[in-house]
Amino acid sequence: MRLKSYLLPAGMLAAGCAALLTGLLPWPAFQELAARTVPVLAFVVAMSLVTEMLDDAGLFRVVTERLAALGRGRVFLLWLLVVGLATVSTVFLSLDATAVLVTPVVVLLAVHARIPPLPFALTTIWLANTASLLLPVSNLTNLLAQDRLNLSPAAFAGLVWAPALVGILVPIGLLWLAFRKDLSGRYGPQPVHKARDKVLLYSASGVMVLLLPALVSGVPVQFPAVAAAAVLLGLFLWRRRSALRWSMVPWRPLMLTSGLFMVVEALHANGLTEFLSGVAGSGEDLPALLQLAGLGAGAANAVNNLPAYLALEPVGDSPVRLAALLIGVNLGPLVTPWASLATLLWHERLRSLNVEIRWGGFAVAGIAAVVLTVPLAVVALWLASGMP
């Protein structure tokens, strides 16, 4: 089963290498692509290592135990705290970190509290996607857009803050309407686990406290991420060498992403941009922005949000149009299980916890969320940009 999970990433990487070797991806285009994407991939690897080690140090468990205490036995208040955790984790650590690390701790918290886990599980994955618009570090698509626009983190947030707010508030409202009965009532006291190694926990927490402002300081994000990963590796070599394992490296996402980069660039070199220019529209009026965002959301659910962004990036020929595209590919992947890597990783974690997801119900709820959230976010972008 584990070998099977590597077939798609390995196949995509092989396809990218074949495109390069056969000339479908010209060497100059590959060099330009590598110069742009290697720093992004370095950030992805470093942040994956950071979040895995923070989890092993016990930080996420401590946070959820504090949430359970702050909830004071009220399910609705506990859910609001989980909303806050999922949002902060997504904004500052990325959607994949939320899907992989926050999901199991909040689902187990719900199970132990005898609360239906589905509202907590669905809240986590919806916000992992829809809260991933505000900062470059929140989503790989944002990092690529930031590089294209040459914006600082603050300037990037200034461009997308209004649709980012919609992307958080509208799904929260829909989730409450759908699960308000499950979110009523009370829960009992939760057990508190003692930290296995307090020195490691406090040291890792300190690294986290220093890392978060560094990621939004304007310094290229791969540098603080790599530095934090190096410090944490040193701490684990000192305190808990046995916890370090090769599986901490995100091999499958790395292979899949690298292959997608090369395949989509090869398609651009062979006429994809010209084809998409005819269906993506042009201009910055509201209908044009809705058209581009809708195309991005549809493409994300059809193939995956990363190739959807890469394919459509050239038609996002202004900051506002690129922001509209990000709305589609970030807020839109709520319908199909493959629409984002985060959703696939989330499902793997739920399956390991024996929590079943019915994809039909997931898709129906996701369609309702996308139909409401994406257009409202585009309208917010249009108004905030002073387009009227």
Side-chain angles (χ1 to χ4, degrees), residues 222-241:
Q222 68 270 20
F223 296 132
V226 168
V231 171
L232 287 171
L233 282 170
L235 286 170
F236 271 79
L237 287 171
W238 172 41
R239 303 292 299 186
R240 196 184 300 168
R241 186 186 299 263

Side-chain angles (χ1 to χ4, degrees), residues 9 76 116 122 141 143 166 199 208 229 255 264-265 270 293 314 323 360-361 383:
F76 178 68
L122 198 60
T141 55
L143 286 171
V166 171
V199 172
M208 179 72 165
M255 294 164 65
V264 174
E265 188 65 26
N270 290 275
L383 292 173

Side-chain angles (χ1 to χ4, degrees), residues 107-308:
V107 168
L108 288 174
L109 174 62
V111 170
H112 292 157
R114 300 182 184 276
I115 303 168
L118 183 59
F120 290 79
L122 198 60
T123 295
T124 306
I125 193 56
W126 272 22
L127 287 174
N129 285 293
T130 65
S132 68
L133 188 60
L134 184 61
L135 294 177
V137 299
S138 308
N139 200 319
L140 181 55
T141 55
N142 298 358
L143 286 171
L144 294 169
Q146 181 198 23
D147 176 73
R148 182 177 178 88
L149 295 171
N150 195 27
L151 293 176
S152 68
F156 184 92
L159 174 65
V160 300
W161 70 268
L165 191 61
V166 171
I168 294 170
L169 295 180
V170 172
I172 290 172
L174 292 173
L175 287 163
W176 178 78
L177 286 173
F179 295 110
R180 58 189 181 279
K181 291 183 179 179
D182 292 328
L183 297 175
S184 62
R186 302 186 66 84
Y187 62 92
Q190 298 301 296
V192 177
H193 299 83
K194 290 186 177 181
R196 293 172 55 190
D197 187 332
K198 288 187 177 181
V199 172
L200 185 59
L201 173 60
Y202 294 152
S203 300
S205 300
V207 172
M208 179 72 165
V209 169
L210 294 174
L211 175 61
L212 293 184
L215 290 175
V216 296
S217 65
V219 176
V221 291
Q222 68 270 20
F223 296 132
V226 168
V231 171
L232 287 171
L233 282 170
L235 286 170
F236 271 79
L237 287 171
W238 172 41
R239 303 292 299 186
R240 196 184 300 168
R241 186 186 299 263
S242 61
L244 297 176
R245 55 199 183 278
W246 284 109
S247 60
M248 284 181 164
V249 179
W251 299 111
R252 285 182 296 166
L254 193 61
M255 294 164 65
L256 180 65
T257 303
S258 300
L260 283 171
F261 281 150
M262 289 191 286
V263 167
V264 174
E265 188 65 26
L267 291 173
H268 279 306
N270 290 275
L272 180 63
T273 303
E274 290 75 10
F275 169 76
L276 290 175
S277 296
V279 296
S282 61
E284 298 180 350
D285 55 72
L286 184 56
L289 297 180
L290 288 168
Q291 180 180 353
L292 181 54
L295 182 61
N301 284 292
V303 291
N304 181 268
N305 68 329
L306 182 58

Side-chain angles (χ1 to χ4, degrees), residues 83 94 116 127 154 175 182 367 376 384:
V83 165
S94 85
L127 287 174
L175 287 163
D182 292 328
I367 290 171
L376 287 174

Side-chain angles (χ1 to χ4, degrees), residues 20 25-42 147 261-262 265:
L20 179 63
L25 173 57
W27 181 253
F30 173 73
Q31 289 180 306
E32 184 177 344
L33 176 70
R36 184 183 178 201
T37 58
V38 166
V40 173
L41 295 176
D147 176 73
F261 281 150
M262 289 191 286
E265 188 65 26

